[in-house]
Amino acid sequence: MGAHQAVAGDRDRRIGRRALLVGGAAAAVGTVALTRDELTRLYWRLPGVSKARVAGAVDFTGARWVAASPANYRTADRPADYPIDRVVVHVTQGGFASAVKAFQDPAHQAAAHYIVRKDGRITQLVRELDVAFHAGNRSYNERSVGIEHEGFVDRPEDFTDAMYAASARLTAAICRRYGMATDREHVIGHVEVPGTDHTDPGKHWDWGRYMGLVRRVGQA
């Protein structure tokens, strides 16, 4: 979440104008003008379309499932419709319980895929196949997985050994799953998202340590 706790929704719940135009054109001419893969990607962008889910399923082994409000993410079929090529690191600017409460509030208009607690416990709130409203940038929401970390940007003591280790395992698994390099081009802070006014994870987040752990886990 960063220095500003509430994040305005990025208004990407609706099908994009380009998708409507392309889909409408294909229907109008009555031909298969698009490939099957392209049509599949457009289908999952339609309002009300939802891929079958397994209740309580998680994408990272050992994570606990606590569902965010459906108002704070958009159902999708990633990476079939949107390739995933980023992990965005956030800090909650508050405790774990307050972050969960915010992400379950439909008026909050934001949620991340995961929260990592100070004790290393990982909670998943949005499936990776869905588009969580966490980055404040529609394109980055569609292409990334958002990971919140319990604490405050100005308190280095909040970034514990257990948190770094657990988050590194999570990020390494995400990078492996989607074929991403474990580098700072693909693992970024919220502050690095274009157009954001957030500052997280802040100057006390040890990027050198974190990325070293991510790479070490990824090579294991």
Side-chain angles (χ1 to χ4, degrees):
M1 284 193 266
H4 303 274
Q5 291 202 34
V7 182
D10 61 5
R11 299 180 183 177
D12 64 356
R13 298 172 180 81
R14 296 168 295 180
I15 184 170
R17 182 172 180 272
R18 179 175 181 276
L20 279 171
L21 290 174
V22 173
V29 299
T31 64
V32 184
L34 303 174
T35 68
R36 181 177 297 178
D37 287 345
E38 288 171 333
L39 287 170
T40 297
R41 285 194 293 272
L42 290 177
Y43 174 74
W44 288 114
R45 298 189 193 190
L46 290 171
V49 174
S50 179
K51 188 174 183 180
R53 302 319 201 252
V54 176
V58 294
D59 296 300
F60 181 74
T61 301
R64 171 193 178 204
W65 175 256
V66 176
S69 167
N72 297 331
Y73 66 90
R74 174 160 50 87
T75 55
D77 184 27
R78 302 192 309 167
D81 49 2
Y82 303 108
I84 297 175
D85 63 3
R86 294 288 189 281
V87 171
V88 180
V89 173
H90 302 261
V91 175
T92 60
Q93 286 299 95
F96 170 78
S98 64
V100 170
K101 183 178 179 180
F103 294 162
Q104 291 183 322
D105 179 0
H108 187 63
Q109 297 187 311
H113 294 90
Y114 296 95
I115 302 175
V116 183
R117 297 192 330 193
K118 296 177 190 178
D119 62 5
R121 183 70 179 267
I122 296 173
T123 298
Q124 183 169 6
L125 299 100
V126 179
R127 292 290 304 278
E128 289 178 17
L129 56 79
D130 293 329
V131 177
F133 306 151
H134 65 96
N137 177 308
R138 175 173 175 159
S139 175
Y140 273 69
N141 282 345
E142 291 173 346
R143 69 195 295 181
S144 67
V145 174
I147 304 176
E148 289 278 1
H149 297 80
E150 178 188 16
F152 293 86
V153 296
D154 59 351
R155 287 172 40 174
E157 63 272 22
D158 287 347
F159 306 141
T160 64
D161 293 345
M163 174 184 285
Y164 275 119
S167 181
R169 290 194 299 273
L170 174 58
T171 292
I174 293 167
C175 289
R176 187 182 308 116
R177 184 156 37 249
Y178 302 108
M180 285 186 272
T182 51
D183 57 30
R184 288 282 283 113
E185 179 181 349
H186 297 86
V187 183
I188 65 173
H190 194 181
V191 67
E192 297 170 89
V193 174
T196 187
D197 61 352
H198 288 239
T199 64
D200 54 321
K203 66 181 181 180
H204 297 299
W205 182 262
D206 190 337
W207 279 109
R209 175 185 180 185
Y210 184 64
M211 294 307 301
L213 288 169
V214 172
R215 294 188 189 99
R216 197 173 309 148
V217 173
Q219 293 169 358

